[in-house]
Amino acid sequence: MTARNSVKPTEPWRQRLIRSLLYGRNVDRAAKARARVGLAMVAFGGIYGIIAVRLVMFPLGGDAHAERRATKDAIATARPDIVDRNGAVLATDVKSPSLFSEPRRIIDKDEAVELLTAALPDLDTAEVRERVSSRKGFAWLKREITPQQQRDIHRLGIPGIGFLRENKRVYPSGAAVSHVIGLVNIDNQGIAGIEKWLDTNGLADLHQAGFASDRLQKPVELSIDLRVEHALRDELMKAKEKYKAKAASGLISNVRTGEIVAMVSLPDFDPNNPKEAHDPDRINRLTTGVYEMGSTFKTLTLAMALDSGKANLNTMYDARAPLAYGKFKIHDSHSLGKFISLAEVFTYSSNIGAARVALAQGVEAHKAFLKKVGQMDRLRTELPESAMPIVPKRWGELNTVTISFGHGIAVAPLQAVMGINAMVNGGYLIPPTFLKRTEEEALAIGKRVVKKDTSDKIRYLMRLNAEVGTARQADLLSKGFYIGGKTGTSEKVVNGRYSKKQVLNSFTAVLPMDNPQYQVLVMLDEPKALPETHGFITSGWNAVPAGGKVIARVAPLLGLEPRFDLQTADRVILAASKVTQ
């Protein structure tokens, strides 16, 4: 027997069997071939089996490096800067370290928990223990820590504990533009305001596609002027404090483009402190809230009558006695006791006169006009936060009576501003925007809703109201900017009844009235009577002077100059417009 065919006595019986099948001299050649093929199949089957098991385990078990890599990709996304119309930065990204763990690499988990919670006392011990004890390959422990905290933890030298630099959103102007800008969540995703609008208009898709991982994205330019925003907010804060109001809000709009130049709703919040944003008292009252706007709605009622051609500035209405309608009686705050002209309905802010103006047009015409000027449907802008108007389900003559002077229908204040803009800009209804827009772009999307002749008459009435009506104090305080305006005092509904002591006051001003460029709205929620207001809480005693101070402060910032040599409204507006009475 040769040495090659000899079998070692110490060799296990399985190896002896395989050797015999593969190389044995007395074994059939076909059997040898089958044995060799079978052995090869077993070997390859084992290899492929291992590969298959690894593929199945990959998504279930979580590879630490893969998880870490995926997380890093997710946090690498960046947002574009948001700037005001002059280039001032309102929102930007900065890099901030975040703390994570790789639980499988942590050797002593109890020691790790003890050291980490000692370095970061605000960490929840139970939560940290749960995360470092998990079977995951990656787990966040704390997002956005300070550089000093990062250095402290780094010195501890805990295996399986690391840091990633994330994009953190910061807002240099703090609360000033909060209701416009909105804010983001911990993952830098927009959850309110312009930040949310950016995500729903392509930014989120860019992030998912991996095309938004750097800071080279073009800044988003808003229509907001930060200087005007600060001035408006400061004056509103003073008014809120002085009149002990529950809330104060205001906005400034370009009547020719629909751009919102400033918007403030107090109390507001600092988007750098997201917890404040969840306070329900800090909602944006100008887009999210809906209110009965009171006598400012008379502007629309009278425009409807003038535009129909059935009434003119001298048309007379009976205001000798309260208007009885069923069991209701409509009163004026100061009884006039006589027939009054349409112009006097406006300057005396007569509820009786406005009701008779609307009744003369009819219910269907009234509804159709308010729908045409955008008061019946939800207003859509770049801000996701918008409220649906509250409109009567059944609209009869009594509804037309009350709605004529601003009761019985509730709209977002921004919606009312849009309607008033159309009444003074030549008759074009232009959707409001928080982005920069030219007059040409605005006219391309604007829709004419009243005649130019009607718009000229409304401008005359608003200026007349500043000369002899309820807006006189604002005219004095605005110091030569030739304003016009309309006041509104709405009794709030408390326990199902209108309250005489809880009111929502508003003042809508336009300037300059001979060539309108801007509308200013000031609102005070539940202002209190002061000795200097002689116990009154109506708009003329608080919202009007507050509006006058706002105008005096922001008009120079808007590029307007005061004038002191202008004549009365009939000579400046009616004569120049060649309006027929």
Side-chain angles (χ1 to χ4, degrees):
M1 180 177 291
T2 63
R4 196 183 68 172
N5 294 329
S6 65
V7 177
K8 296 178 181 178
T10 58
E11 195 173 28
W13 67 270
R14 297 183 188 84
Q15 292 184 16
R16 290 202 304 274
L17 176 62
I18 293 172
R19 180 184 295 278
S20 172
L21 288 172
L22 295 176
Y23 308 111
R25 178 173 292 178
N26 299 326
V27 178
D28 180 73
R29 291 176 62 88
K32 286 182 182 179
R34 286 197 297 272
R36 288 170 179 169
V37 170
L39 183 61
M41 290 177 65
V42 169
F44 280 108
I47 293 171
Y48 283 119
I50 293 171
I51 293 174
V53 169
R54 292 292 295 169
L55 288 173
V56 171
M57 294 300 293
F58 179 77
L60 297 177
D63 181 81
H65 295 292
E67 287 187 29
R68 180 174 172 179
R69 189 166 54 250
T71 305
K72 198 169 183 178
D73 289 343
I75 63 172
T77 54
R79 304 180 68 82
D81 286 351
I82 300 176
V83 300
D84 83 339
R85 63 185 307 113
N86 302 312
V89 175
L90 305 176
T92 188
D93 280 356
V94 297
K95 291 292 184 182
S96 172
S98 286
L99 178 67
F100 71 88
S101 69
E102 292 174 325
R104 296 173 192 166
R105 295 185 55 216
I106 298 177
I107 300 171
D108 188 334
K109 300 185 188 305
D110 291 333
E111 181 187 39
V113 173
E114 185 177 343
L115 293 173
L116 288 171
T117 51
L120 299 176
D122 58 331
L123 283 178
D124 184 286
T125 303
E127 189 175 331
V128 173
R129 186 179 301 282
E130 180 183 352
R131 293 189 179 187
V132 300
S133 301
S134 73
R135 302 183 63 181
K136 294 181 178 178
F138 180 95
W140 287 116
L141 295 180
K142 184 174 176 57
R143 311 286 287 273
E144 299 174 2
I145 63 175
T146 67
Q148 181 60 48
Q149 290 173 326
Q150 182 185 19
R151 286 192 290 273
D152 292 344
I153 296 172
H154 185 72
R155 290 194 194 99
L156 299 175
I158 307 173
I161 298 296
F163 308 92
L164 285 176
R165 290 181 66 77
E166 293 192 274
N167 293 304
K168 179 183 179 183
R169 201 63 160 167
V170 296
Y171 303 92
S173 55
V177 204
S178 57
H179 283 301
V180 177
I181 295 293
L183 73 165
V184 298
N185 62 15
I186 194 71
D187 293 318
N188 240 17
Q189 297 168 336
I191 56 174
I194 291 294
E195 293 281 28
K196 186 173 182 179
W197 175 80
L198 285 175
D199 278 28
T200 55
N201 281 269
L203 182 60
D205 294 335
L206 282 177
H207 282 171
Q208 283 192 337
F211 294 133
S213 59
D214 55 47
R215 295 288 314 281
L216 300 179
Q217 300 169 72
K218 185 180 177 183
V220 177
E221 292 182 297
L222 301 188
S223 56
I224 296 294
D225 185 323
L226 187 57
R227 303 166 306 163
V228 179
E229 182 83 8
H230 277 301
L232 173 63
R233 184 169 183 266
D234 187 51
E235 292 298 332
L236 287 175
M237 290 176 73
K238 291 177 182 174
K240 179 175 178 290
E241 183 178 355
K242 179 176 180 178
Y243 299 106
K244 299 178 177 59
K246 179 181 177 182
S249 54
L251 66 83
I252 298 171
S253 168
N254 185 319
V255 304
R256 300 174 181 172
T257 64
E259 293 173 289
I260 305 303
V261 181
M263 172 185 276
V264 176
S265 179
L266 301 174
D268 50 16
F269 63 91
D270 185 349
N272 296 301
N273 181 12
K275 291 181 181 177
E276 290 184 353
H278 301 302
D279 183 348
D281 198 38
R282 300 174 191 266
I283 64 166
N284 184 352
R285 288 169 163 76
L286 297 160
T287 62
T288 307
V290 293
Y291 305 94
E292 294 182 339
M293 295 300 292
S295 293
T296 56
F297 242 58
K298 288 171 183 162
T299 311
L300 302 179
T301 304
L302 269 59
M304 169 183 65
L306 293 168
D307 206 59
S308 72
K310 297 178 181 177
N312 59 44
L313 295 173
N314 294 321
T315 302
M316 302 300 288
Y317 298 92
D318 186 358
R320 292 175 296 173
L323 173 63
Y325 204 92
K327 61 179 181 180
F328 300 99
K329 279 191 175 181
I330 309 302
H331 298 266
D332 284 334
S333 56
H334 299 288
S335 177
L336 299 170
K338 63 176 184 177
F339 278 87
I340 57 175
S341 68
L342 185 142
E344 289 173 316
V345 170
F346 197 80
T347 54
Y348 287 115
S349 198
S350 168
N351 292 342
I352 300 170
R356 293 198 183 280
V357 170
L359 286 173
Q361 300 300 309
V363 170
E364 294 307 317
H366 194 199
K367 288 169 63 177
F369 184 81
L370 292 181
K371 186 170 183 63
K372 185 169 65 170
V373 297
Q375 305 303 302
M376 304 278 278
D377 303 303
R378 185 192 297 267
L379 176 63
R380 298 291 187 182
T381 67
E382 292 83 9
L383 299 191
E385 301 82 17
S386 68
M388 186 76 183
I390 300 175
V391 179
K393 292 180 180 177
R394 295 181 180 178
W395 189 316
E397 284 193 341
L398 181 59
N399 300 104
T400 279
V401 166
T402 60
I403 290 172
S404 70
F405 50 85
H407 288 265
I409 185 172
V411 302
L414 179 58
Q415 199 162 10
V417 165
M418 175 182 68
I420 300 296
N421 277 352
M423 299 302 108
V424 300
N425 70 3
Y428 293 93
L429 188 73
I430 301 171
T433 181
F434 293 87
L435 303 178
K436 289 182 78 171
R437 179 195 283 163
T438 65
E439 286 188 35
E440 291 72 23
E441 290 170 337
L443 279 177
I445 60 173
K447 181 177 65 175
R448 183 180 281 282
V449 290
V450 295
K451 306 181 189 81
K452 181 179 182 303
D453 182 79
T454 302
S455 178
D456 291 340
K457 289 173 181 171
I458 292 296
R459 288 196 293 122
Y460 162 74
L461 289 174
M462 293 185 79
R463 175 58 199 171
L464 187 65
N465 201 36
E467 293 175 359
V468 300
T470 53
R472 282 172 293 176
Q473 197 173 357
D475 190 40
L476 292 173
L477 291 170
S478 62
K479 300 176 181 176
F481 288 104
Y482 204 64
I483 70 162
K486 186 73 191 81
T487 55
T489 302
S490 305
E491 295 172 357
K492 296 178 69 173
V493 177
V494 180
N495 298 326
R497 301 175 65 88
Y498 282 108
S499 169
K500 297 288 183 184
K501 296 182 179 179
Q502 293 167 282
V503 297
L504 177 74
N505 288 351
S506 59
F507 175 54
T508 299
V510 175
L511 68 154
M513 226 45 253
D514 56 330
N515 185 24
Q517 294 185 48
Y518 297 99
Q519 180 183 170
V520 177
L521 173 69
V522 170
M523 297 177 65
L524 294 175
D525 191 355
E526 297 186 20
K528 305 298 184 296
L530 303 178
E532 68 183 76
T533 68
H534 308 287
F536 293 107
I537 56 172
T538 48
S539 173
W541 293 97
N542 39 60
V544 169
K549 291 177 182 177
V550 168
I551 292 168
R553 191 162 166 187
V554 305
L557 298 174
L558 295 169
L560 302 178
E561 295 182 359
R563 294 170 293 170
F564 300 98
D565 56 350
L566 287 171
Q567 296 180 323
T568 54
D570 55 339
R571 291 178 178 272
V572 175
I573 300 174
L574 292 187
S577 304
K578 299 180 180 178
V579 170
T580 57
Q581 294 287 304

